[in-house]
mmCIF file of all heavy atoms in Angstrom:
data_model
loop_
_atom_site.group_PDB
_atom_site.id
_atom_site.type_symbol
_atom_site.label_atom_id
_atom_site.label_comp_id
_atom_site.label_asym_id
_atom_site.label_seq_id
_atom_site.Cartn_x
_atom_site.Cartn_y
_atom_site.Cartn_z
ATOM 1 N N ALA A 1 96.515 103.531 101.650
ATOM 2 C CA ALA A 1 95.897 103.138 102.912
ATOM 3 C C ALA A 1 95.472 101.671 102.903
ATOM 4 O O ALA A 1 95.309 101.068 103.971
ATOM 5 C CB ALA A 1 94.697 104.027 103.209
ATOM 6 N N GLU A 2 95.302 101.099 101.716
ATOM 7 C CA GLU A 2 94.837 99.716 101.617
ATOM 8 C C GLU A 2 95.949 98.747 101.244
ATOM 9 O O GLU A 2 95.684 97.570 100.976
ATOM 10 C CB GLU A 2 93.692 99.640 100.593
ATOM 11 C CG GLU A 2 92.462 100.422 101.045
ATOM 12 C CD GLU A 2 91.312 100.376 100.054
ATOM 13 O OE1 GLU A 2 91.522 99.846 98.927
ATOM 14 O OE2 GLU A 2 90.212 100.840 100.395
ATOM 15 N N LEU A 3 97.198 99.222 101.223
ATOM 16 C CA LEU A 3 98.299 98.327 100.896
ATOM 17 C C LEU A 3 98.456 97.239 101.965
ATOM 18 O O LEU A 3 98.186 97.450 103.136
ATOM 19 C CB LEU A 3 99.616 99.110 100.804
ATOM 20 C CG LEU A 3 99.864 99.969 99.565
ATOM 21 C CD1 LEU A 3 101.231 100.623 99.669
ATOM 22 C CD2 LEU A 3 99.756 99.153 98.285
ATOM 23 N N ASP A 4 98.893 96.081 101.537
ATOM 24 C CA ASP A 4 99.203 94.981 102.442
ATOM 25 C C ASP A 4 100.550 94.383 102.028
ATOM 26 O O ASP A 4 100.652 93.824 100.942
ATOM 27 C CB ASP A 4 98.108 93.912 102.379
ATOM 28 C CG ASP A 4 98.306 92.812 103.416
ATOM 29 O OD1 ASP A 4 99.073 93.049 104.366
ATOM 30 O OD2 ASP A 4 97.699 91.738 103.258
ATOM 31 N N PRO A 5 101.593 94.532 102.864
ATOM 32 C CA PRO A 5 101.591 95.159 104.189
ATOM 33 C C PRO A 5 101.443 96.675 104.103
ATOM 34 O O PRO A 5 101.690 97.266 103.045
ATOM 35 C CB PRO A 5 102.952 94.759 104.763
ATOM 36 C CG PRO A 5 103.816 94.544 103.563
ATOM 37 C CD PRO A 5 102.920 93.968 102.512
ATOM 38 N N PRO A 6 101.045 97.334 105.213
ATOM 39 C CA PRO A 6 100.826 98.785 105.204
ATOM 40 C C PRO A 6 102.073 99.546 104.781
ATOM 41 O O PRO A 6 103.202 99.087 104.979
ATOM 42 C CB PRO A 6 100.457 99.093 106.659
ATOM 43 C CG PRO A 6 100.010 97.796 107.228
ATOM 44 C CD PRO A 6 100.784 96.737 106.528
ATOM 45 N N ILE A 7 101.877 100.727 104.229
ATOM 46 C CA ILE A 7 102.997 101.527 103.736
ATOM 47 C C ILE A 7 103.989 101.827 104.862
ATOM 48 O O ILE A 7 105.207 101.880 104.634
ATOM 49 C CB ILE A 7 102.501 102.842 103.080
ATOM 50 C CG1 ILE A 7 103.656 103.588 102.416
ATOM 51 C CG2 ILE A 7 101.786 103.724 104.086
ATOM 52 C CD1 ILE A 7 104.314 102.840 101.289
ATOM 53 N N GLU A 8 103.492 101.964 106.109
ATOM 54 C CA GLU A 8 104.404 102.288 107.205
ATOM 55 C C GLU A 8 105.323 101.121 107.563
ATOM 56 O O GLU A 8 106.305 101.314 108.283
ATOM 57 C CB GLU A 8 103.637 102.763 108.441
ATOM 58 C CG GLU A 8 102.637 101.780 108.987
ATOM 59 C CD GLU A 8 101.231 101.991 108.447
ATOM 60 O OE1 GLU A 8 101.103 102.474 107.296
ATOM 61 O OE2 GLU A 8 100.276 101.672 109.174
ATOM 62 N N ARG A 9 105.010 99.939 107.084
ATOM 63 C CA ARG A 9 105.916 98.813 107.290
ATOM 64 C C ARG A 9 106.886 98.645 106.120
ATOM 65 O O ARG A 9 107.799 97.827 106.196
ATOM 66 C CB ARG A 9 105.114 97.526 107.474
ATOM 67 C CG ARG A 9 104.269 97.501 108.742
ATOM 68 C CD ARG A 9 103.622 96.146 108.931
ATOM 69 N NE ARG A 9 102.678 96.153 110.043
ATOM 70 C CZ ARG A 9 101.883 95.127 110.352
ATOM 71 N NH1 ARG A 9 101.948 94.006 109.626
ATOM 72 N NH2 ARG A 9 101.050 95.208 111.370
ATOM 73 N N GLN A 10 106.663 99.379 105.061
ATOM 74 C CA GLN A 10 107.525 99.270 103.887
ATOM 75 C C GLN A 10 108.476 100.455 103.729
ATOM 76 O O GLN A 10 109.577 100.309 103.195
ATOM 77 C CB GLN A 10 106.661 99.171 102.622
ATOM 78 C CG GLN A 10 105.680 98.014 102.600
ATOM 79 C CD GLN A 10 104.939 97.948 101.290
ATOM 80 O OE1 GLN A 10 105.541 97.952 100.212
ATOM 81 N NE2 GLN A 10 103.613 97.895 101.353
ATOM 82 N N LEU A 11 108.029 101.633 104.175
ATOM 83 C CA LEU A 11 108.776 102.876 103.989
ATOM 84 C C LEU A 11 109.084 103.460 105.352
ATOM 85 O O LEU A 11 108.182 103.633 106.177
ATOM 86 C CB LEU A 11 107.941 103.868 103.166
ATOM 87 C CG LEU A 11 108.540 105.241 102.872
ATOM 88 C CD1 LEU A 11 109.710 105.135 101.904
ATOM 89 C CD2 LEU A 11 107.458 106.174 102.308
ATOM 90 N N SER A 12 110.344 103.762 105.627
ATOM 91 C CA SER A 12 110.668 104.383 106.913
ATOM 92 C C SER A 12 110.129 105.808 106.941
ATOM 93 O O SER A 12 110.021 106.475 105.909
ATOM 94 C CB SER A 12 112.177 104.397 107.145
ATOM 95 O OG SER A 12 112.813 105.365 106.329
ATOM 96 N N PHE A 13 109.789 106.276 108.146
ATOM 97 C CA PHE A 13 109.288 107.638 108.266
ATOM 98 C C PHE A 13 110.364 108.641 107.865
ATOM 99 O O PHE A 13 110.073 109.664 107.234
ATOM 100 C CB PHE A 13 108.806 107.919 109.688
ATOM 101 C CG PHE A 13 107.978 109.157 109.786
ATOM 102 C CD1 PHE A 13 106.610 109.113 109.610
ATOM 103 C CD2 PHE A 13 108.561 110.390 110.044
ATOM 104 C CE1 PHE A 13 105.835 110.262 109.685
ATOM 105 C CE2 PHE A 13 107.808 111.553 110.130
ATOM 106 C CZ PHE A 13 106.435 111.480 109.944
ATOM 107 N N ALA A 14 111.611 108.338 108.212
ATOM 108 C CA ALA A 14 112.709 109.237 107.838
ATOM 109 C C ALA A 14 112.811 109.376 106.330
ATOM 110 O O ALA A 14 113.068 110.478 105.811
ATOM 111 C CB ALA A 14 114.019 108.722 108.406
ATOM 112 N N ALA A 15 112.592 108.280 105.600
ATOM 113 C CA ALA A 15 112.641 108.341 104.137
ATOM 114 C C ALA A 15 111.487 109.178 103.596
ATOM 115 O O ALA A 15 111.661 109.954 102.642
ATOM 116 C CB ALA A 15 112.603 106.942 103.541
ATOM 117 N N ALA A 16 110.302 109.037 104.185
ATOM 118 C CA ALA A 16 109.158 109.843 103.748
ATOM 119 C C ALA A 16 109.441 111.327 103.963
ATOM 120 O O ALA A 16 109.104 112.168 103.119
ATOM 121 C CB ALA A 16 107.903 109.424 104.508
ATOM 122 N N CYS A 17 110.057 111.658 105.098
ATOM 123 C CA CYS A 17 110.402 113.053 105.398
ATOM 124 C C CYS A 17 111.470 113.569 104.433
ATOM 125 O O CYS A 17 111.356 114.675 103.895
ATOM 126 C CB CYS A 17 110.877 113.159 106.838
ATOM 127 S SG CYS A 17 111.184 114.843 107.397
ATOM 128 N N ASP A 18 112.504 112.767 104.188
ATOM 129 C CA ASP A 18 113.550 113.165 103.239
ATOM 130 C C ASP A 18 112.957 113.382 101.846
ATOM 131 O O ASP A 18 113.327 114.336 101.140
ATOM 132 C CB ASP A 18 114.643 112.106 103.175
ATOM 133 C CG ASP A 18 115.490 112.054 104.445
ATOM 134 O OD1 ASP A 18 115.428 113.021 105.242
ATOM 135 O OD2 ASP A 18 116.202 111.056 104.630
ATOM 136 N N ASN A 19 112.069 112.490 101.434
ATOM 137 C CA ASN A 19 111.394 112.638 100.141
ATOM 138 C C ASN A 19 110.668 113.972 100.051
ATOM 139 O O ASN A 19 110.725 114.676 99.025
ATOM 140 C CB ASN A 19 110.370 111.518 99.944
ATOM 141 C CG ASN A 19 110.977 110.204 99.497
ATOM 142 O OD1 ASN A 19 112.146 110.128 99.117
ATOM 143 N ND2 ASN A 19 110.175 109.156 99.540
ATOM 144 N N PHE A 20 109.956 114.320 101.134
ATOM 145 C CA PHE A 20 109.146 115.541 101.152
ATOM 146 C C PHE A 20 110.002 116.779 100.892
ATOM 147 O O PHE A 20 109.673 117.630 100.049
ATOM 148 C CB PHE A 20 108.431 115.645 102.493
ATOM 149 C CG PHE A 20 107.578 116.865 102.663
ATOM 150 C CD1 PHE A 20 106.428 117.037 101.913
ATOM 151 C CD2 PHE A 20 107.905 117.848 103.592
ATOM 152 C CE1 PHE A 20 105.619 118.155 102.082
ATOM 153 C CE2 PHE A 20 107.119 118.965 103.764
ATOM 154 C CZ PHE A 20 105.970 119.124 103.003
ATOM 155 N N PHE A 21 111.121 116.878 101.583
ATOM 156 C CA PHE A 21 111.953 118.072 101.415
ATOM 157 C C PHE A 21 112.748 118.033 100.108
ATOM 158 O O PHE A 21 113.007 119.091 99.520
ATOM 159 C CB PHE A 21 112.857 118.253 102.635
ATOM 160 C CG PHE A 21 112.092 118.716 103.838
ATOM 161 C CD1 PHE A 21 111.746 117.823 104.846
ATOM 162 C CD2 PHE A 21 111.667 120.024 103.938
ATOM 163 C CE1 PHE A 21 111.010 118.250 105.947
ATOM 164 C CE2 PHE A 21 110.935 120.466 105.035
ATOM 165 C CZ PHE A 21 110.600 119.564 106.038
ATOM 166 N N ALA A 22 113.098 116.846 99.626
ATOM 167 C CA ALA A 22 113.736 116.759 98.307
ATOM 168 C C ALA A 22 112.774 117.252 97.231
ATOM 169 O O ALA A 22 113.162 117.986 96.311
ATOM 170 C CB ALA A 22 114.164 115.321 98.022
ATOM 171 N N ALA A 23 111.505 116.869 97.331
ATOM 172 C CA ALA A 23 110.503 117.312 96.352
ATOM 173 C C ALA A 23 110.290 118.815 96.442
ATOM 174 O O ALA A 23 110.125 119.496 95.417
ATOM 175 C CB ALA A 23 109.191 116.567 96.581
ATOM 176 N N ALA A 24 110.280 119.358 97.661
ATOM 177 C CA ALA A 24 110.109 120.801 97.810
ATOM 178 C C ALA A 24 111.269 121.567 97.183
ATOM 179 O O ALA A 24 111.072 122.610 96.548
ATOM 180 C CB ALA A 24 109.974 121.161 99.283
ATOM 181 N N LYS A 25 112.486 121.041 97.311
ATOM 182 C CA LYS A 25 113.653 121.731 96.766
ATOM 183 C C LYS A 25 113.730 121.621 95.244
ATOM 184 O O LYS A 25 114.039 122.600 94.554
ATOM 185 C CB LYS A 25 114.923 121.157 97.385
ATOM 186 C CG LYS A 25 115.113 121.516 98.851
ATOM 187 C CD LYS A 25 116.370 120.857 99.429
ATOM 188 C CE LYS A 25 116.515 121.192 100.897
ATOM 189 N NZ LYS A 25 117.692 120.535 101.526
ATOM 190 N N HIS A 26 113.460 120.440 94.713
ATOM 191 C CA HIS A 26 113.760 120.179 93.296
ATOM 192 C C HIS A 26 112.544 119.867 92.435
ATOM 193 O O HIS A 26 112.680 119.724 91.223
ATOM 194 C CB HIS A 26 114.767 119.027 93.197
ATOM 195 C CG HIS A 26 116.008 119.243 94.003
ATOM 196 N ND1 HIS A 26 116.926 120.231 93.696
ATOM 197 C CD2 HIS A 26 116.491 118.617 95.105
ATOM 198 C CE1 HIS A 26 117.915 120.190 94.581
ATOM 199 N NE2 HIS A 26 117.665 119.228 95.442
ATOM 200 N N GLY A 27 111.362 119.743 93.028
ATOM 201 C CA GLY A 27 110.156 119.533 92.250
ATOM 202 C C GLY A 27 110.174 118.264 91.432
ATOM 203 O O GLY A 27 110.605 117.203 91.896
#
């Protein structure tokens, strides 16, 4: 939350979502 620039300017939302389901599948 304190990153500069903010994490939302560095990581696409689609990538965050893809990461989430990859982690759920493969741990």
Side-chain angles (χ1 to χ4, degrees):
E2 295 180 352
L3 285 181
D4 186 17
I7 187 63
E8 59 266 30
R9 294 186 187 174
Q10 302 184 52
L11 179 69
S12 74
F13 194 89
C17 186
D18 289 344
N19 280 349
F20 179 68
F21 287 102
K25 289 177 182 178
H26 306 293

